[in-house]
Amino acid sequence: MPAAPTPLPPLPQPQPSVTRPSVSQPLEPLPPTALVPGQTVVLPETAHQGLLITFGFTGPDADLTLLLIGENDLVASDEDFVFYNQPTAAGGAARLLGKDATGPQAVERAALHLAALPSHVHRVVVSVNMDVDTGLPAKL
């Protein structure tokens, strides 16, 4: 009589992966940062996927302007300005979202998708332009 075949060892059970591929979760928004005139800020890495700029003011009318600056600290062309008469640039990676006014308070917003900016853009300058002929200072 032939010998009984040796049983095969059991199949290894799948082990839980220590480094599971992460499921894309929406990023938690960072708390707002209030800037004073002339202040600069280095943005966290998470800002490269989307940044919302909000400017609130009372007083004379004011407008947000975005300047897409090159390595030489200059704007390369007219297409690198974002302002009320040209509300988008860089294929929509920099754009004004509009102004809302309720009573004396106004808020204007802009959006930046830093990772989608052209390679010649090394910095974005956010400026506020006001109608100084009114003689009234804006309250930032």
Side-chain angles (χ1 to χ4, degrees):
M1 208 160 135
T6 319
L8 295 174
L11 291 174
Q13 295 298 315
Q15 297 296 317
S17 174
V18 175
T19 56
R20 290 185 175 192
S22 64
V23 177
S24 179
Q25 298 290 329
L27 296 174
E28 290 294 320
L30 296 174
T33 301
L35 301 176
V36 297
Q39 182 180 353
T40 61
V41 64
V42 176
L43 300 172
E45 193 65 33
T46 55
H48 289 240
Q49 296 307 314
L51 182 65
L52 177 66
I53 300 163
T54 303
F55 169 62
F57 62 97
T58 58
D61 194 24
D63 295 303
L64 275 177
T65 300
L66 306 177
L67 308 171
L68 309 182
I69 305 292
E71 192 172 19
N72 60 357
D73 289 334
L74 299 173
V75 175
S77 70
D78 289 348
E79 286 76 36
D80 289 341
F81 287 97
V82 180
F83 63 106
Y84 67 92
N85 207 28
Q86 182 172 294
T88 63
R95 64 187 181 281
L96 296 179
L97 301 176
K99 191 183 300 185
D100 296 318
T102 51
Q105 176 75 28
V107 175
E108 186 169 13
R109 291 180 178 83
L112 284 171
H113 188 237
L114 299 174
L117 289 173
S119 61
H120 74 274
V121 176
H122 289 261
R123 192 165 51 121
V124 177
V125 174
V126 178
S127 69
V128 176
N129 304 300
M130 296 181 353
D131 180 6
V132 294
D133 292 336
T134 62
L136 299 172
K139 295 178 185 172
L140 302 177

